[in-house]
Amino acid sequence: MEHVYIGHFLTRIEAARRLGVPSQDVSERDDLLRVGGTWLEEVYFEFQFTTLGFRDDLGRIVRELRRTFDDVTISDWLAQPNRLLRSASPLQWLASDLDVRLLSRAATVAGPV
């Protein structure tokens, strides 16, 4: 199964700067999606951040989905069209500032498979 990755990506240090925390705290967060980390340092999806900091609305969805799914599966789901979101992807839904409660419902009802 192929997954869709939406870049750009941030290093741990870049993510820490955006979050305003020490770099060692970044990898411990359960609301932050990451890729890699086995042989090389992990990277973080830039779409999780705004120019002002972290997207808490997305973080809540990630935390909810992470109970069942891994980061790659969640990031793929975020990039795919969703029938409960009028065929928008969850990332498009968030970018359009639409109802986050409906996105949370989509995550529960029509989340990753």
Side-chain angles (χ1 to χ4, degrees):
M1 175 182 188
E2 287 187 39
H3 293 285
V4 175
Y5 294 103
I6 302 291
H8 297 287
F9 298 95
L10 303 176
T11 65
R12 185 185 309 155
I13 291 171
E14 291 169 328
R17 283 189 197 124
R18 298 261 186 115
L19 293 166
V21 300
S23 62
Q24 63 268 22
D25 293 351
V26 175
S27 62
E28 302 300 319
R29 292 182 64 126
D30 65 350
D31 59 351
L32 194 57
L33 294 171
R34 64 188 66 67
V35 176
T38 304
W39 298 103
L40 299 172
E41 184 177 288
E42 76 281 1
V43 293
Y44 298 85
F45 293 93
E46 187 177 38
F47 62 69
Q48 299 173 107
F49 300 89
T50 67
T51 55
L52 303 175
F54 181 67
R55 290 198 65 126
D56 290 321
D57 52 358
L58 180 57
R60 286 188 294 276
I61 301 295
V62 167
R63 188 177 289 122
E64 184 179 316
L65 290 172
R66 195 177 250 157
R67 294 181 201 151
T68 308
F69 304 101
D70 63 34
D71 289 20
V72 171
T73 303
I74 296 168
S75 63
D76 182 65
W77 177 77
L78 289 168
Q80 301 294 335
N82 188 294
R83 62 182 170 77
L84 294 180
L85 303 175
R86 297 184 220 135
S87 296
S89 74
L91 289 177
Q92 291 168 329
W93 191 262
L94 283 171
S96 298
D97 289 324
L98 297 169
D99 190 349
V100 176
R101 292 172 300 179
L102 187 55
L103 177 58
S104 182
R105 178 166 156 58
T108 303
V109 174
V113 288

